[in-house]
Amino acid sequence: MVRRLSILKQPIFSTLNNHLIDYPTPSNLSYWWSFGSLAGLCLVIQIITGVFLAMHYTPHVDLAFLSVEHIMRDVKGGWLLRYMHANGASMFFIVVYLHIFRGLYYGSYASPRELVWCLGVVILLLMIVTAFIGYGKLRQMSFWGATVITSLASAIPVVGDTIVTWLWGGFSVDNATLNRFFSPHYLLPFIIAGAAILHLAALHQYGSNNPLGINSSVDKIAFYPYFYVKDLVGWVAFAIFFSIFVFYAPNVLGHPDNYIPANPMSTPAHIVPEWYFLPVYAILRSISNKSGGVAAIGLVFVSLFALPFINTSYVRSSSFRPIHQKLFWLLLADCLLLGWIGCQPVEAPYVTIGQIASVGFFFYFAITPILGKLEARLIQNSNVCEDLSPRKLSHIFKNLLDVVK
Amino acid sequence: MAKALEKAFEPIWNWASRRYQAAVAKELKKYGLRYDDLLDDMYDLDIKEALARLPQQEVDLRNQRLKRAMDYSGKHIYMPKALQAKQTPYLSYLQDTLQLVKEERKEHAELGSDMPYNRAIP
């Protein structure tokens, strides 16, 4: 490639060039690899819309609900900003969940990309906290959802109740809670951006995985223009999908109770979080003991963190791991089932189904250390004729010669 | 007792192995790969050491198969059926050397030393 400009060789621009333009990328990446840049796009959308919303939002218990109505009705383009921000959060989680499941299917978490995976889980945690504290506190579902989830901290022995009071800034979710939640809600996305840069840096240490899970150093092409264009196609498809929600169904992913101002005297019949928290919420509720439920949530993230280190399979891609492939689809179905259970009332048969689904979720992680070894033993079983190692072949020939003599 | 149990389950184990190997072989043949080609030297430094001990011709053939497989994968096509029938997915070129390297690692560990290469995360 003839460089007409030497600017790409200068200090800061050379970094941009090495990581975004001439960066060697496996040639066979599919569209499943576009969700990373899409997640970055979602973060930018959330930050920009969030900053502009913050110019008009009032984080005070008497004015918050009304300020949002003011944004929707009086601020020019306010309705668009608000709907983009609310639906943008859902889009962010859709993209990130697809990104995570892609990583699970193709073994992108496996060595040497453990750090990439762990940083990704950190980003997911930060996203969950940001989305939770940004859900508002002065609407019926937001208020009661916040009350339920922050109360979980009382499960911590000895200091639990003190922590809850400190979180609330008082004896219930009130003005103090609103302010102390709004401030980190503004700050955390920038921490997420920093974590995303670290995530990319860790990725670029060894390069991307690919759909076959093999070493791709034999066939790499420049990121620009090939994957720039591929990602752009993904961005356009995302923009269309996002626009359908923003312009045609802006409230379908939300809860109608959130158009009712918060009433501490009236508890909703069914308290549910936003859809992206439902699977974890279902796991929490499947254990009747409060501490047990909190421990189960902790175990979900510990399992995610531990995955690269408990994996024993030398083969990455599920294309060549039929047993893991089936377990993956079971896990996906299980997560969808948990999501459905999360929005059902806590009564039979949903409780039992939720408990079984929760066990199913952890089963995937529990079986991972054994699965790799089992698959290797199945492949290397020398009693079956498929094994044609040179040593066995020569042994077979030697026996044949002995018979002939 | 253990031996007896092993013998009792051997037919089931062999049946499962045959099914599993056939399923994996079917996928490997689509891309013209061998099972040993799936072992990535970035995954484990022992694999890298084993590859370094192979004759250059074996390594070149491996790289050619990998490149061909990536080409098929990128184009979302498979190897022609006639060629697939000729593939030998389980013809091993790496397992013996890898086993040797792993035994060396075990020996090093028993003697209280370590391999000359080791990876510390990240």
Side-chain angles (χ1 to χ4, degrees):
Chain A
M1 173 177 140
V2 173
R3 272 205 225 290
R4 294 196 187 86
L5 299 166
S6 64
I7 193 165
L8 288 173
K9 290 182 187 166
Q10 303 316 311
I12 295 172
F13 292 103
S14 67
T15 307
L16 276 171
N17 178 63
N18 293 340
H19 290 279
L20 278 176
I21 301 174
D22 284 344
Y23 185 71
T25 315
S27 63
N28 63 333
L29 296 189
S30 64
Y31 278 104
W32 289 107
W33 267 258
S34 300
F35 289 105
S37 69
L38 266 173
L41 174 67
C42 287
L43 180 63
V44 168
I45 290 171
Q46 289 305 96
I47 288 176
I48 292 174
T49 54
V51 164
F52 280 97
L53 280 170
M55 295 176 189
H56 302 278
Y57 178 69
T58 310
H60 187 279
V61 67
D62 296 325
L63 298 168
F65 188 93
L66 289 171
S67 70
V68 175
E69 289 308 304
H70 160 69
I71 289 168
M72 291 292 290
R73 295 158 197 268
D74 304 324
V75 174
K76 258 197 169 32
W79 59 273
L80 182 61
L81 280 175
R82 197 273 179 114
Y83 281 150
M84 278 184 75
H85 198 73
N87 288 286
S90 288
M91 295 299 124
F92 202 173
F93 275 96
I94 290 174
V95 164
V96 164
Y97 284 154
L98 288 170
H99 187 65
I100 291 171
F101 275 97
R102 185 268 295 164
L104 284 174
Y105 186 88
Y106 291 110
S108 303
Y109 55 84
S111 174
R113 297 177 186 92
E114 300 97 328
L115 186 61
V116 186
W117 177 265
C118 291
L119 283 167
V121 178
V122 166
I123 292 172
L124 176 66
L125 270 169
L126 287 170
M127 276 175 62
I128 286 169
V129 172
T130 308
F132 175 71
I133 62 180
Y135 191 37
K137 302 287 159 279
L138 277 310
R139 298 166 175 271
Q140 264 298 73
M141 201 49 75
S142 311
F143 176 87
W144 287 101
T147 304
V148 164
I149 299 301
T150 48
S151 300
L152 289 177
S154 64
I156 300 168
V158 182
V159 294
D161 289 327
T162 313
I163 290 175
V164 173
T165 312
W166 171 70
L167 274 174
W168 284 344
F171 300 109
S172 70
V173 172
D174 207 336
N175 193 48
T177 323
L178 191 63
N179 278 277
R180 62 188 53 201
F181 274 24
F182 182 61
S183 175
H185 180 69
Y186 202 119
L187 170 69
L188 280 175
F190 297 100
I191 310 287
I192 292 174
I197 290 170
L198 290 176
H199 185 65
L200 260 182
L203 174 69
H204 283 197
Q205 192 176 13
Y206 295 105
S208 292
N209 189 19
N210 66 88
L212 295 176
I214 55 178
N215 188 317
S216 58
S217 53
V218 293
D219 193 3
K220 289 201 172 177
I221 53 178
F223 185 84
Y224 180 89
Y226 303 104
F227 295 103
Y228 164 78
V229 169
K230 200 171 187 109
D231 279 354
L232 205 57
V233 170
W235 287 24
V236 169
F238 169 79
I240 294 169
F241 182 72
F242 187 28
S243 299
I244 291 170
F245 282 92
V246 168
F247 296 109
Y248 292 101
N251 293 300
V252 77
L253 293 171
H255 199 289
D257 276 5
N258 254 9
Y259 277 95
I260 304 168
N263 183 358
M265 298 298 152
S266 166
T267 312
H270 302 295
I271 300 170
V272 282
E274 287 282 87
W275 69 267
Y276 35 81
F277 292 145
L278 289 174
V280 180
Y281 191 58
I283 292 174
L284 168 74
R285 291 193 315 182
S286 65
I287 300 175
S288 46
N289 177 271
K290 190 198 268 185
S291 308
V294 172
I297 293 184
L299 192 58
V300 168
F301 293 101
V302 165
S303 305
L304 284 170
F305 267 115
L307 190 59
F309 308 103
I310 59 175
N311 171 53
T312 51
S313 173
Y314 276 66
V315 177
R316 287 204 186 94
S317 176
S318 294
S319 304
F320 306 113
R321 299 180 66 193
I323 301 176
H324 179 264
Q325 197 180 73
K326 284 158 186 64
L327 283 175
F328 169 85
W329 292 116
L330 279 171
L331 177 72
L332 179 61
D334 189 77
C335 288
L336 291 170
L337 180 63
L338 279 169
W340 175 67
I341 289 292
C343 60
Q344 300 305 317
V346 186
E347 53 194 44
Y350 306 116
V351 172
T352 314
I353 297 172
Q355 285 167 342
I356 295 168
S358 301
V359 169
F361 177 86
F362 289 113
F363 173 76
Y364 173 86
F365 296 95
I367 203 88
T368 296
I370 308 163
L371 188 61
K373 292 193 173 141
L374 173 69
E375 288 169 341
R377 292 281 296 269
L378 283 167
I379 289 284
Q380 284 157 10
N381 183 2
S382 55
N383 292 335
V384 177
C385 292
E386 285 284 356
D387 181 10
L388 293 172
S389 67
R391 192 182 282 175
K392 187 169 170 94
L393 266 176
S394 66
H395 184 69
I396 290 169
F397 276 124
K398 192 166 170 295
N399 284 341
L400 274 173
L401 278 171
D402 287 340
V403 164
V404 166
K405 277 182 203 164
Chain B
M1 177 71 175
K3 283 262 178 210
L5 270 170
E6 214 180 289
K7 262 204 126 38
F9 280 105
E10 204 177 306
I12 303 170
W13 178 250
N14 289 342
W15 170 83
S17 293
R18 257 193 302 274
R19 289 285 307 265
Y20 189 80
Q21 287 179 14
V24 175
K26 189 179 166 196
E27 290 303 313
L28 287 169
K29 284 176 184 178
K30 283 178 184 172
Y31 297 101
L33 284 169
R34 291 193 195 169
Y35 187 78
D36 285 356
D37 296 338
L38 299 177
L39 305 179
D40 185 358
D41 51 336
M42 281 206 296
Y43 179 93
D44 187 345
L45 288 176
D46 286 346
I47 297 174
K48 189 175 176 183
E49 175 63 19
L51 282 169
R53 295 183 188 187
L54 287 181
Q56 188 58 38
Q57 195 194 9
E58 280 294 349
V59 175
D60 289 344
L61 287 171
R62 171 188 157 99
N63 288 338
Q64 282 167 19
R65 284 194 299 272
L66 290 175
K67 197 171 168 73
R68 179 178 63 183
M70 286 191 66
D71 189 59
Y72 285 137
S73 172
K75 291 171 181 169
H76 301 288
I77 57 176
Y78 299 132
M79 186 175 252
K81 289 257 189 257
L83 270 178
Q84 279 191 40
K86 293 182 186 173
Q87 300 304 303
T88 51
Y90 294 113
L91 193 56
S92 177
Y93 58 90
L94 190 61
Q95 294 292 347
D96 290 344
T97 317
L98 184 60
Q99 189 58 33
L100 197 63
V101 171
K102 290 211 176 294
E103 277 163 16
E104 281 176 21
R105 181 182 276 281
K106 204 171 154 188
E107 221 178 288
H108 273 277
E110 278 165 8
L111 292 168
S113 68
D114 211 345
M115 297 295 267
Y117 52 83
N118 251 326
R119 183 181 157 241
I121 296 163

